[in-house]
């Protein structure tokens, strides 16, 4: 008998016993649906996490002056070290990284880095316009810093060379801050050219808004967007004129795409040791979020796989259900099997008929499970404010696995049917 005819017979048998078929497929549907939903949510969270961390500069390397430690308590490859010391000290201006050091460093590592990002913070404050207010942190940066930020402007212009050279008090603020200050949804031009005053403690800073940038949606991974403190970007010279500090406690570099982050950090550490080997109190250390991001992403994947394995138990139960219902079906169709064998059907054709019926049953259950899983996973991702990313490979694997379950658990009943004695089958009551 042709495979097509076997498939048609399998579908007819399933339609003849709809309720029994649905109950049999339930385990397959739950198992496949759970796996697909979990993998969809896992992919969505991972993609959202990667996107959020990339916005924060996950591939950048931070270089900063820190207190020397007599004993490291714990270190890891993520670039973050946890150390302990009782007498914590903050570096003074004489301990800072100077402009000459940074210039020499940029020349030395010109093939390893793409940008040097110099910035300095004036701390946090509040902008108030009438009854409206927005929390901001004031950050001043040079041209390299803004190139590394990759800000998407929604209105106005970026901070230009002229403003940088003059250390002008011009500012870029987020669309979120504009919405809160001006009660607008998308007319960001309202803020352009406006003067705002940032109150930070007992200090007042005045800025002129020249641009509005798009704030990345951090979603539920970072607590959502409610009452967020966003960054007010200005020129590095403006911040320096208020802080009156020469040099930098820290700065950031963007590594070239082909450069290994861990190796580059090691080279940078060795390079700055030449400047700080005589400083008994402070040293220059490096850190990167790239390896930590990789570790956290791997952890999310492991959690997703672990839960999928648990959901796979439902598939096992579903497979046992398929075997059970096939044994019942064979028992009910004993005379049919005997008639076919009496008419010349071979053991192989009988075996193939029931194996295909089991596989079709599992395939239909698998397809329904995929639909439910993708829908459920997408809904869960939407609730978590993340873009849905169904796993195509998981869908293909799940459908293939459901058919494999049909083959595995359908073989024993099919083989039992194939080995029936036709005379016994025909006289079966």
């Amino acid at each position: 008998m042709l495979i097509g005819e076997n498939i048609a017979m399998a579908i007819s048998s399933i339609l003849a016993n709809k309720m029994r078929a649905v109950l049999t497929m339930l385990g397959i549907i739950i198992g496949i649906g759970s796996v697909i939903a979990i993998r969809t949510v896992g992919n969505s969270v991972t993609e959202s996490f990667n996107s959020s961390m990339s916005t924060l500069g996950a591939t950048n390397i931070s270089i900063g002056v820190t207190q020397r430690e007599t004993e490291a308590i714990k270190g890891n490859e993520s670039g973050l070290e946890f150390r302990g010391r009782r007498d914590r000290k903050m570096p003074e201006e004489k301990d800072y990284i100077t402009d000459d050091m940074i210039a020499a460093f940029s020349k030395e590592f010109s093939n390893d880095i793409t940008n040097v990002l110099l910035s300095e913070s004036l701390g946090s404050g509040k902008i108030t316009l009438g009854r409206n207010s927005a929390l901001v942190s004031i950050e001043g940066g040079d041209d390299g810093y803004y190139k590394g930020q990759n800000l998407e402007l929604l209105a106005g212009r970026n901070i230009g060379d002229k403003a940088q050279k003059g250390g002008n008090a011009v500012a870029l603020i987020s669309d979120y801050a504009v919405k809160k200050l001006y009660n607008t949804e998308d007319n960001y031009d309202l803020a352009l050219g406006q003067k705002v005053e940032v109150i930070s403690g007992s200090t007042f800073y005045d800025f002129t808004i020249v641009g509005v940038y798009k704030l990345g949606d951090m979603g539920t991974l970072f607590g959502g967007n409610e009452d967020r403190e966003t960054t007010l970007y200005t020129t590095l010279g403006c911040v320096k004129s208020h802080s009156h500090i020469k040099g930098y406690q820290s700065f950031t570099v963007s590594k070239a795409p082909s450069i290994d982050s861990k190796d580059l950090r090691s080279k940078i550490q060795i390079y700055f040791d030449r400047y700080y080997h005589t400083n008994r109190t402070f040293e220059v250390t490096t850190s990167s979020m790239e390896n930590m991001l990789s570790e956290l992403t791997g952890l999310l994947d492991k959690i997703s796989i672990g839960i999928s394995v648990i959901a796979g138990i439902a598939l096992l139960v579903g497979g046992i259900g398929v075997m059970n219902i096939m044994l019942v079906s064979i028992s009910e169709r004993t005379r049919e099997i005997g008639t076919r064998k009496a008419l010349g059907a071979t053991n192989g054709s009988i075996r193939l008929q029931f194996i295909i019926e089991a596989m079709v049953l599992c395939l239909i259950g698998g397809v329904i499970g995929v639909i439910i899983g993708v829908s459920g996973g997408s809904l869960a991702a939407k609730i978590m404010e993340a873009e849905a990313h169904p796993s195509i490979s998981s869908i293909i694997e799940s459908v293939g696995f459901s058919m494999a379950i049909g083959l595995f658990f359908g073989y024993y009943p099919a083989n039992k049917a194939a080995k029936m004695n036709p005379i016994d089958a025909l006289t079966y009551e």
Side-chain angles (χ1 to χ4, degrees):
M1 186 178 291
L2 297 175
I3 293 178
E5 294 177 357
N6 279 322
I7 294 175
M9 287 181 62
I11 294 173
S12 298
S13 177
I14 292 170
L15 292 176
N17 300 278
K18 298 184 186 69
M19 182 56 67
R20 187 170 70 182
V22 169
L23 294 175
T24 302
M25 291 187 292
L26 201 57
I28 302 294
I29 293 171
I30 293 173
I32 295 293
S34 300
V35 171
I36 297 298
I38 291 165
R39 296 299 293 273
T40 299
V41 172
N43 285 351
S44 301
V45 171
T46 300
E47 289 294 329
S48 178
F49 186 81
N50 287 342
S51 177
S52 299
M53 297 303 286
S54 295
T55 302
L56 296 174
T59 60
N60 292 343
I61 295 176
S62 297
I63 303 164
V65 178
T66 57
Q67 186 178 2
R68 289 187 183 275
E69 304 294 347
T70 56
E71 182 179 358
I73 295 177
K74 181 180 180 182
N76 59 38
E77 294 186 357
S78 68
L80 302 178
E81 293 187 352
F82 305 87
R83 302 176 176 182
R85 189 186 178 106
R86 292 181 180 178
D87 53 333
R88 302 303 305 180
K89 296 179 181 179
M90 293 299 294
E92 300 176 2
E93 189 172 332
K94 63 183 178 63
D95 301 306
Y96 283 4
I97 301 169
T98 66
D99 289 316
D100 290 339
M101 290 182 191
I102 293 174
F105 166 81
S106 300
K107 185 177 180 180
E108 178 80 14
F109 289 84
S110 59
N111 295 327
D112 299 317
I113 61 177
T114 56
N115 284 310
V116 174
L117 290 64
L118 299 177
S119 64
E120 188 167 328
S121 175
L122 279 180
S124 300
K126 178 187 285 188
I127 302 173
T128 303
L129 289 179
R131 295 182 178 181
N132 301 325
S133 64
L135 300 175
V136 296
S137 59
I138 306 171
E139 193 78 21
D142 66 349
D143 288 335
Y145 177 78
Y146 289 111
K147 288 178 182 177
Q149 293 301 305
N150 294 318
L151 297 176
E152 180 184 347
L153 291 183
L154 299 176
R157 61 175 176 82
N158 213 326
I159 296 175
D161 293 338
K162 185 176 180 180
Q164 284 285 4
K165 291 177 181 177
N168 298 347
V170 296
L172 304 176
I173 65 172
S174 68
D175 56 345
Y176 174 76
V178 172
K179 290 175 182 178
K180 294 202 70 175
L181 292 171
Y182 296 94
N183 292 324
T184 181
E185 285 300 318
D186 53 12
N187 187 13
Y188 304 120
D189 290 336
L190 288 174
L192 299 180
Q194 299 296 316
K195 293 186 181 295
V196 293
E197 183 179 67
V198 181
I199 304 174
S200 179
S202 59
T203 308
F204 298 81
Y205 303 106
D206 293 316
F207 298 97
T208 300
I209 300 173
V210 296
V212 179
Y213 68 91
K214 182 179 181 181
L215 183 67
D217 185 5
M218 307 301 283
T220 56
L221 291 174
F222 293 91
N225 291 330
E226 294 301 320
D227 297 324
R228 288 186 61 182
E229 177 183 275
T230 62
T231 304
L232 181 150
Y233 295 101
T234 186
T235 61
L236 183 60
C238 175
V239 173
K240 285 288 187 183
S241 67
H242 288 289
S243 65
H244 306 292
I245 296 176
K246 295 181 179 180
Y248 304 88
Q249 184 176 348
S250 64
F251 70 99
T252 305
V253 297
S254 297
K255 70 178 185 67
S258 59
I259 302 300
D260 180 76
S261 178
K262 186 177 179 181
D263 290 342
L264 181 57
R265 284 178 46 229
S266 179
K267 289 166 64 177
I268 293 173
Q269 186 83 52
I270 294 171
Y271 176 83
F272 276 100
D273 280 346
R274 71 175 73 172
Y275 293 106
Y276 283 82
H277 71 280
T278 58
N279 191 321
R280 301 296 183 184
T281 308
F282 296 97
E283 63 181 344
V284 169
T285 58
T286 63
S287 62
S288 171
M289 296 178 68
E290 186 175 31
N291 289 333
M292 183 179 70
L293 174 60
S294 177
E295 290 176 7
L296 291 177
T297 301
L299 179 60
L300 288 173
D301 289 340
K302 289 178 181 177
I303 293 173
S304 179
I305 292 172
I307 298 175
S308 297
V309 170
I310 296 173
I313 296 174
L315 285 175
L316 178 62
V317 174
I320 295 172
V322 169
M323 178 186 288
N324 181 58
I325 207 65
M326 289 304 297
L327 288 170
V328 172
S329 178
I330 288 167
S331 178
E332 291 176 346
R333 295 156 66 183
T334 300
R335 291 181 64 84
E336 174 194 331
I337 296 168
T339 301
R340 285 196 59 205
K341 297 195 77 171
L343 293 174
T346 64
N347 288 353
S349 63
I350 298 294
R351 186 182 296 111
L352 181 62
Q353 174 189 349
F354 288 98
I355 286 177
I356 289 178
E357 184 171 324
M359 291 178 68
V360 168
L361 190 67
C362 290
L363 178 60
I364 294 173
V367 171
I368 296 173
V370 166
I371 295 171
I372 293 175
V374 171
S375 301
S378 299
L379 178 62
K382 185 177 180 179
I383 293 173
M384 297 175 68
E385 299 181 16
E387 185 179 351
H389 289 276
S391 174
I392 303 299
S393 61
S394 295
I395 292 173
I396 296 173
E397 289 170 5
S398 296
V399 172
F401 189 57
S402 65
M403 294 180 67
I405 286 176
L407 176 62
F408 181 80
F409 287 99
Y411 182 82
Y412 173 75
N415 193 52
K416 182 178 180 181
K419 291 182 177 180
M420 278 188 182
N421 187 301
I423 297 175
D424 294 337
L426 287 171
T427 58
Y428 180 80
E429 293 294 338

